[in-house]
Amino acid sequence: MVDGCLKRLRTDHIDLFYQHRIDPNVPIEDVAGAVKELIEAGKVLHFGLSEASPSTIRKAHAVQPVAALQTEYSLMNRDPESNGLLATCEELGIGFVPWGPMGMGYLTQKLDVQTAFDPKSDLRSTFDRFQPETIAANKPFVDRVTELARTKGATTAQLSLAWLLAQKPFIVPIPGTGKVKHLQENIESTKLVLTADDLKDMDRALAELKVHGGRMNEQQMSVVEQ
């Protein structure tokens, strides 16, 4: 598989090789051992996991050091703060890579009850959080984040990224965009430095507001380690 990847990528090595979902039928120690061999062969430089639990991360790390852990983390989903993922990464020196840093689109201010998701190409069409009634229910939360962003002279997306960067020094968000102007907007977020007091103010401002709808659909969540 890796040899095929190298051929398609036209390179002699892969910088970061992720197991994007944990296979319950294959011991993680075997996966880590296989990646270790690839690293020793020079075909892979670093080992990453995605949507793994703290216990799985520890087992893998004991065989081959894990360089990065990828999972959803944003103002809309703060599970990593309570499920042990952030603490585990900090303890073991693992980089934390939040996907969906803008709430899978919520915090770009581009969604409303009229937003249509193509069922053939957009998995969000099957997520509870992205149904019209749930988008409407989450509007107060998004509006509050937007108000906070305005006080900082930033967009909602920029504040969302800056908030993540302010959480821990080992966090590197991966926002997705298909437009140059949005890429430039994202880059500008690095100029917004939030203090500990700023973070406390945001927590207080959002504490009374609930985020409605689960992370993903049942099928997608079935392959996320809890």
Side-chain angles (χ1 to χ4, degrees), residues 111-216:
L111 302 185
D112 59 35
V113 295
Q114 303 301 321
T115 301
F117 303 97
D118 187 345
K120 295 182 179 179
S121 61
D122 196 330
L123 279 174
R124 292 178 299 177
S125 65
T126 65
F127 296 176
D128 288 344
R129 190 170 293 175
F130 293 88
Q131 303 311 307
E133 61 274 15
T134 318
I135 291 175
N138 282 323
K139 188 175 186 303
F141 185 93
V142 177
D143 287 347
R144 183 67 57 83
V145 177
T146 302
E147 291 170 8
L148 292 168
R150 285 174 182 156
T151 67
K152 294 294 183 182
T155 66
T156 310
Q158 288 171 336
L159 181 65
S160 302
L161 290 174
W163 178 84
L164 279 170
L165 292 172
Q167 298 304 308
K168 298 289 182 180
F170 54 87
I171 288 179
V172 182
I174 48 170
T177 182
K179 297 183 179 179
V180 172
K181 67 177 182 179
H182 292 156
L183 174 61
Q184 293 171 335
E185 177 185 353
N186 294 344
I187 292 172
E188 287 295 308
S189 68
T190 60
K191 297 179 181 179
L192 176 57
V193 179
L194 301 178
T195 66
D197 286 339
D198 290 331
L199 296 178
K200 290 177 182 177
D201 289 342
M202 289 182 67
D203 283 346
R204 283 193 290 267
L206 297 172
E208 64 191 56
L209 298 172
K210 178 182 177 181
V211 174
H212 300 269
R215 283 182 58 191
M216 295 179 280

Side-chain angles (χ1 to χ4, degrees), residues 5-84:
C5 291
L6 294 174
K7 183 177 180 180
R8 289 189 293 274
L9 292 170
R10 300 179 183 178
T11 184
D12 62 357
H13 71 273
I14 295 171
D15 293 289
L16 178 58
F17 193 56
Y18 276 111
Q19 182 185 32
H20 272 276
R21 291 294 185 272
I22 303 303
D23 186 341
N25 299 314
V26 179
I28 193 62
E29 293 89 347
D30 291 352
V31 174
V35 175
K36 183 175 183 177
E37 292 177 1
L38 292 171
I39 291 173
E40 290 172 346
K43 296 180 180 181
V44 168
L45 298 187
H46 302 286
F47 177 31
L49 293 173
S50 181
E51 298 295 353
S53 68
S55 62
T56 293
I57 294 168
R58 291 180 185 279
K59 291 176 184 176
H61 194 75
V63 177
Q64 169 59 46
V66 177
L69 182 281
Q70 185 184 91
T71 191
E72 184 187 0
Y73 183 34
S74 72
L75 283 166
M76 299 287 292
N77 175 57
R78 299 178 64 169
D79 290 349
E81 297 172 2
S82 58
N83 63 15

